[in-house]
Amino acid sequence: MSKKDAKTITDNVHNAIFDVADANQDDFISLQEYKVYFHILGHDISDEEITQSFNAIDSNKDEKISREEFLEAAFDYSINVDESEVNR
């Protein structure tokens, strides 16, 4: 699969995820929305780890995650994660 095809697939999936996480539909994910999203998923992750993840995605440091930041982070993750890590 080409990188362009992978980006298209990742964007399609994560656009829908962004829409779910953006509870107030203001086109940004706040830290609180991000925390709620992770808790709903049932991930065993601390608030501190969620905040660190949020801050890593918030590339312009405006304390909110834009759709573009979210999609870029999702794509970066998808091309950089080793398949063996996902299957653990």
Side-chain angles (χ1 to χ4, degrees), residues 66-81:
S66 69
R67 185 177 301 272
E68 293 76 24
E69 289 169 324
F70 188 78
L71 295 177
E72 187 64 34
F75 182 66
D76 287 347
Y77 179 81
S78 72
I79 63 171
N80 290 315
V81 83

Side-chain angles (χ1 to χ4, degrees), residues 8 12 14 16 24-25 35 37 44 57-58 60 62 64 69 77 81 88:
T8 299
N12 287 342
H14 285 86
N24 67 358
Q25 301 297 295
K35 287 179 179 181
Y37 171 71
D44 186 21
I57 296 170
D58 179 20
N60 67 0
D62 64 354
K64 55 190 176 184
E69 289 169 324
Y77 179 81
V81 83
R88 285 185 201 175

Side-chain angles (χ1 to χ4, degrees), residues 6-87:
K7 175 88 169 113
T8 299
I9 291 168
T10 301
D11 284 357
N12 287 342
V13 169
H14 285 86
N15 264 310
I17 294 170
F18 183 92
D19 289 340
V20 169
D22 179 21
N24 67 358
Q25 301 297 295
D26 67 351
D27 290 325
F28 294 97
I29 299 173
S30 68
L31 178 56
Q32 185 59 35
E33 288 170 323
Y34 197 67
K35 287 179 179 181
V36 167
Y37 171 71
F38 269 94
H39 290 296
I40 288 171
L41 290 177
H43 287 292
D44 186 21
I45 184 170
S46 71
D47 277 357
E48 182 179 326
E49 291 170 311
I50 293 171
T51 300
Q52 288 173 350
S53 172
F54 181 91
N55 289 336
I57 296 170
D58 179 20
S59 60
N60 67 0
K61 306 304 177 206
D62 64 354
E63 299 183 359
K64 55 190 176 184
I65 296 174
S66 69
R67 185 177 301 272
E68 293 76 24
E69 289 169 324
F70 188 78
L71 295 177
E72 187 64 34
F75 182 66
D76 287 347
Y77 179 81
S78 72
I79 63 171
N80 290 315
V81 83
D82 182 344
E83 194 171 311
S84 64
E85 292 177 40
V86 174
N87 293 326

